[in-house]
Amino acid sequence: MAKQLQTLGEFIIENQQAFPYSSGELSRLINSIRLAAKVVNHEVNKAGLVDITGPAGATNVQGEDQQKLDVYAHEKFIQTLTNREIVCGIASEENDDFITIKGSHGDHQNKYVVLMDPLDGSSNIDVNVSVGTIFSVYRRVTPLGTPVQLEDFLQPGHQQVAAGYIVYGTSTMLVYTTGCGVNGFTLNPALGSWYLSHPNMRYPEDGRIYSVNEGNYIHFPQGIKDYIKYCQEEEEDRPYTSRYIGSLVSDFHRNMIKGGIYMYPPSSKAPNGKLRLLYECNPMAFIAEQAGGKASDGKRRVMDIEPTELHQRVPFYCGSKNMVDKVEEFLARY
Ligand code: AHM
Ligand code: MG
């Protein structure tokens, strides 16, 4: 008989002792994320079937407000995280400002802040291509009992206590870390349960896949242009393969399994690149490092950047360690 896979619930209970500040709160937080993920997954799967991909603000035939899936995902995650006494604030790529959560007694006693991109790569939704959710968790730095402040969110990535993503792909997976390696769980949609399908995920040290939007090539820094040419050269293990979905979560997920690098370089059009430090780069960097990979802005470790604003953008190079080292080497030539 096939080996019975551990469920996410069982895994959380078994590993609770390994969590930092193991009061069970972080476990409950992960629990609420897995619940919201199921709800969002259900809705994402219906895209195209029901008329849900229309613009936010439109109304459907029942006269209900119709929402774009990224707004829907944002609201589902906020609702689920707000209903538990764990989170004191949430910042989302979908909101200009952070949201303060008082807790049911109005006493601001909750410890954690969550930053998230509720539906990343959402332009892929309309064409039935994988999208994802990215989340990042920190302990607040301001005193308990007071409303959460901007500084609680502007923490460098190395302070994260947990980070993860959900990829709504051919199957739906939740991949996360609490600083003790990376584990991946696959949703069985019939049962609504997550199973530990990818224990202890590791980034291959080397890879042969590069993922970048080459349409921006002429706007890239010379070091990146040279690196792309290097990837394409006829050498022992080259040319590499180019794979770009345009969904960070999916590109990252594939590269972590197969070995590769994801790049969103600065360009003359977007001097800091496109990706957001707090909602996209830091959580992916934490997962990458926990899996033995690397994440850099071209010069520095992404997780050492001191954030100055919520929606800050940074160039992003993330993946197999030796490949990211190589990109840094090319960039350092100029
Ligand atoms: P989004 O948060 O608006 O969805 O943008 C982030 C996405 C990433 O998932 C993806 O890798 C990148 O934008 C693609 O951008 P581009 O179309 O410029 O290549
Ligand atoms: Mg995004």
Side-chain angles (χ1 to χ4, degrees), residues 70 93-94 117-124 130-132 134 211-216 244-252 262-264 269 274-276 279-280 313:
D70 38 15
E93 205 185 271
E94 294 296 323
D117 184 352
L119 209 61
D120 183 63
S122 49
S123 63
N124 277 325
S130 320
V131 288
I134 309 173
S211 310
V212 63
N213 186 343
E214 277 184 78
N216 296 327
Y244 190 70
I245 298 170
S247 243
L248 169 64
V249 170
S250 315
D251 279 308
F252 177 100
Y262 174 94
M263 304 189 277
Y264 212 108
K269 291 188 297 185
K274 175 184 183 188
L275 300 186
R276 319 279 181 137
Y279 312 110
E280 294 166 326
R313 296 173 200 268

Side-chain angles (χ1 to χ4, degrees), residues 110-164:
N110 301 342
K111 285 196 197 97
Y112 293 100
V113 295
V114 175
L115 295 97
M116 64 188 320
D117 184 352
L119 209 61
D120 183 63
S122 49
S123 63
N124 277 325
I125 281 273
D126 294 352
V127 289
N128 211 347
V129 171
S130 320
V131 288
T133 294
I134 309 173
F135 63 92
S136 167
V137 182
Y138 295 81
R139 271 204 137 201
R140 65 181 300 175
V141 288
T142 53
L144 281 180
T146 63
V148 75
Q149 302 291 328
L150 183 59
E151 63 193 281
D152 293 312
F153 297 93
L154 298 186
Q155 299 188 52
H158 61 76
Q159 302 274 51
Q160 287 172 104
V161 294

Side-chain angles (χ1 to χ4, degrees), residues 8-9 12-13 16 19-38 76-91 101 109-116 133-140 153 159-166 174 176-178 194:
L8 176 54
I12 290 175
I13 294 168
Q16 188 159 310
F19 284 170
Y21 325 107
S22 106
S23 58
E25 285 165 300
L26 194 52
S27 305
R28 285 199 287 134
L29 202 161
I30 302 288
N31 259 327
S32 51
I33 287 175
R34 82 173 165 167
L35 176 63
K38 274 197 275 191
K76 284 299 154 204
F77 277 100
I78 305 280
Q79 259 175 25
T80 320
L81 289 167
T82 308
N83 288 340
R84 299 189 166 57
E85 304 287 313
I86 318 159
V87 174
C88 58
I90 302 172
I101 299 169
Q109 288 298 332
N110 301 342
K111 285 196 197 97
Y112 293 100
V113 295
V114 175
L115 295 97
M116 64 188 320
T133 294
I134 309 173
F135 63 92
S136 167
V137 182
Y138 295 81
R139 271 204 137 201
R140 65 181 300 175
F153 297 93
Q159 302 274 51
Q160 287 172 104
V161 294
Y165 60 80
I166 296 117
L174 168 62
Y176 78 97
T177 181
T178 52
W194 303 88

